[in-house]
Amino acid sequence: MKLSLSKVAGGCRLGTLTNLGRKGVQSMEIPGCLLYTKMGSAPHLTHDTLQMVKGTPVVAQVSLSAMVDLQDVLEDYKEGLGKFIGMPDSVLYCSLHDPVVSSPLGYNNNKAVSIWGCGGRVEITASKFMAIQRTLQPDWFQCLADGDTIAEEVSKKRAKKSVDRSLSFLDECLQLQEKMPELQDSLMIGVIEGGDVLEERRRSARETAKRPVAGFLLDGFQGNAMAKETKLELLSSVTAELPEDKPRLIHGIGRPDLVLECIERGVDVFESCFPYQVTERGCALSFSYNYHLDPETAVLIENGKRAAEKKEDQNMKSEACGGSQDMSSFEIRLKDKRYQGDFGPLVNGCSCYCCQNHSRAYIHHLLVTNELLAGVLLMMHNFQHYFSFFCSARDALKEGRLYQLKDTIFRQAL
């Protein structure tokens, strides 16, 4: 993998990751996002319907927690995870946890990290972790790390312990990888830990950067336990410690306004679980990312919606996979009765399959009758809308107009 930066301005990084995959022929533009999957499949979608989504990322994210119970099966299969899930040509990134599933805290120790598979808690030592990676044979994988630092109050002692453990796991995993020929083409992503303690975050970044890792994962920023201002301050300090020639990934950041804040602080690669969470709420992404219009005009004309409707949608809540989640200001709740007779597309001007062929009224009908097709059509729209947002962010960076896109997005954020 090679990172070529074409532009760096105000902390933002524009470029391309090349030589991706086993054949080294694929590439990914940054800033960009991963394709979120459930056990290797895009939620609600078959491989055929996924092909109808424009702008699908080349790198797919799978979680170790979803695959740990399949280790014996994959060992017998012997051809790796990519071929097993029907994605032999995709670039696969294996993260420790599913980003939309909350994992209990307090189960890690100096020798092992706990993950929760279908059968319950599994303790993963460095040797077991690398044995599983040898079976999966991903293109990228997050190194084993102690990420139990996302609670509301984390002591300096606990933050230091998370960094020490993570560095110890990293050293052991690197040593084991050298002895595994099956993983010589797999790239290890070092993990930056340290909770909300600035000096520990910096130490983690400096020490991880000394190791021969392919990139860096900024972990522990998911959830609402850490104040937004603290997150942004930590991100600025951490990215300043990292080398320019390797990609920076982040977990748990999905809202468009937060994505842009992170881009301004040098983050390159994000997850795409946010569209899935929106789909599970029975909602559709509807925010404007057109930075060519006057920001206020763009917000007013998007979907022909009144501000009062937007505010009403904000107050609706629904159960998402990871627990109770508030709706964001970037989506509309199509189960509301007001959409029963709305025969317009989900988003005016959207080129996705759903908007080109179906109406808000039809999706409303599918949702109230609990039809599985609702999830399929919403997932297709939400994925494409989200991927198009990242394309717009890259275009805005090329043109030096990210501030206009940010203004447009922030006017829609409440």
Side-chain angles (χ1 to χ4, degrees):
M1 176 172 64
K2 180 182 178 181
L3 172 59
S4 300
L5 294 176
S6 58
K7 186 176 183 179
V8 179
C12 306
R13 291 150 51 96
L14 182 70
T16 308
L17 286 169
T18 57
N19 302 335
L20 301 182
R22 299 288 169 166
K23 298 179 181 179
V25 297
Q26 302 197 63
S27 63
M28 173 184 180
E29 292 185 286
I30 62 165
C33 66
L34 309 166
L35 173 66
Y36 172 72
T37 73
K38 288 282 190 183
M39 297 189 73
S41 295
H44 299 291
L45 305 181
T46 64
H47 289 307
D48 291 335
T49 50
L50 180 62
Q51 297 303 312
M52 301 170 71
V53 177
K54 298 176 183 177
T56 302
V58 299
V59 182
Q61 178 182 6
V62 296
S63 65
L64 187 67
S65 57
M67 296 298 169
V68 66
D69 296 319
L70 294 176
Q71 183 182 4
D72 292 341
V73 175
L74 288 167
E75 282 182 352
D76 292 339
Y77 185 66
K78 292 184 173 58
E79 296 190 57
L81 178 62
K83 191 172 181 180
F84 181 77
I85 61 177
M87 299 175 71
D89 298 322
S90 295
V91 181
L92 297 181
Y93 163 63
C94 182
S95 60
L96 282 181
H97 306 285
D98 187 322
V100 302
V101 178
S102 298
S103 299
L105 303 178
Y107 289 89
N108 296 347
N109 56 54
N110 291 335
K111 295 183 178 180
V113 170
S114 290
I115 63 173
W116 272 257
C118 297
R121 182 166 74 97
V122 181
E123 281 198 337
I124 305 291
T125 62
S127 58
K128 183 172 183 178
F129 172 77
M130 293 303 292
I132 296 173
Q133 297 299 340
R134 180 172 55 191
T135 302
L136 299 179
Q137 298 176 31
D139 298 282
W140 306 354
F141 62 94
Q142 171 191 351
C143 186
L144 194 67
D146 178 15
D148 274 7
T149 54
I150 59 174
E152 291 187 10
E153 294 184 6
V154 175
S155 67
K156 289 186 177 181
K157 181 179 179 181
R158 181 64 184 90
K160 181 180 184 301
K161 188 179 291 185
S162 75
V163 174
D164 291 340
R165 287 175 177 174
S166 298
L167 291 172
S168 176
F169 289 140
L170 176 58
D171 289 336
E172 189 172 354
C173 289
L174 286 169
Q175 291 175 2
L176 290 169
Q177 185 180 21
E178 292 178 356
K179 303 173 184 177
M180 296 180 175
E182 300 90 343
L183 290 179
Q184 295 310 300
D185 294 326
S186 297
L187 303 178
M188 189 182 302
I189 306 297
V191 187
I192 311 300
E193 298 289 359
D196 59 359
V197 181
L198 180 57
E199 55 266 34
E200 290 302 327
R201 281 281 178 181
R202 284 176 170 165
R203 182 170 71 92
S204 180
R206 286 194 297 267
E207 291 299 320
T208 304
K210 294 176 182 178
R211 274 73 169 176
V213 295
F216 305 96
L217 169 65
L218 308 173
D219 193 28
F221 292 97
Q222 56 267 47
N224 299 316
M226 192 186 298
K228 176 182 174 182
E229 294 74 17
T230 303
K231 287 183 183 181
L232 299 181
E233 180 186 354
L234 290 172
L235 285 172
S236 297
S237 299
V238 167
T239 53
E241 302 285 348
L242 299 177
E244 292 286 325
D245 61 344
K246 294 181 180 180
R248 297 95 173 257
L249 293 74
I250 194 167
H251 284 177
I253 301 294
R255 283 172 50 111
D257 54 334
L258 293 177
V259 167
L260 292 179
E261 293 273 27
C262 291
I263 288 174
E264 288 186 321
R265 287 157 179 82
V267 179
D268 303 317
V269 183
F270 300 79
E271 296 172 322
S272 64
C273 57
F274 182 63
Y276 169 67
Q277 292 171 310
V278 172
T279 299
E280 292 299 281
R281 291 194 280 267
C283 297
L285 289 174
S286 61
F287 64 94
S288 171
Y289 46 77
N290 186 351
Y291 60 90
H292 293 99
L293 296 174
D294 172 74
E296 188 170 356
T297 303
V299 174
L300 289 174
I301 68 172
E302 181 68 19
N303 307 323
K305 293 185 67 175
R306 294 185 183 139
E309 286 184 318
K310 277 265 188 182
K311 288 181 180 179
E312 186 175 343
D313 276 334
Q314 304 305 312
N315 298 325
M316 295 294 181
K317 292 183 179 180
S318 183
E319 288 293 314
C321 185
S324 179
Q325 297 285 334
D326 288 340
M327 278 184 60
S328 71
S329 56
F330 302 104
E331 59 199 88
I332 54 174
R333 187 176 187 267
L334 290 165
K335 206 169 185 178
D336 289 357
K337 194 172 183 179
R338 81 169 78 111
Y339 299 112
Q340 187 173 12
D342 188 339
F343 299 104
L346 273 60
V347 172
N348 289 328
C350 179
S351 63
C352 80
Y353 175 85
C354 181
C355 288
Q356 291 295 307
N357 293 277
H358 302 292
S359 66
R360 293 177 176 182
Y362 181 59
I363 303 301
H364 169 84
H365 158 71
L366 294 176
L367 287 167
V368 297
T369 54
N370 295 317
E371 288 286 349
L372 295 178
L373 183 57
V376 175
L377 294 175
L378 280 175
M379 195 75 257
M380 294 177 75
H381 166 77
N382 289 334
F383 261 157
Q384 183 163 321
H385 196 84
Y386 198 66
F387 300 154
S388 297
F389 159 66
F390 276 94
C391 183
S392 182
R394 291 191 295 271
D395 289 342
L397 276 172
K398 290 175 188 176
E399 298 171 20
R401 300 174 69 180
L402 188 69
Y403 67 95
Q404 288 180 271
L405 175 60
K406 187 177 178 181
D407 195 7
T408 298
I409 294 296
F410 273 60
R411 285 175 182 266
Q412 300 167 84
L414 296 178

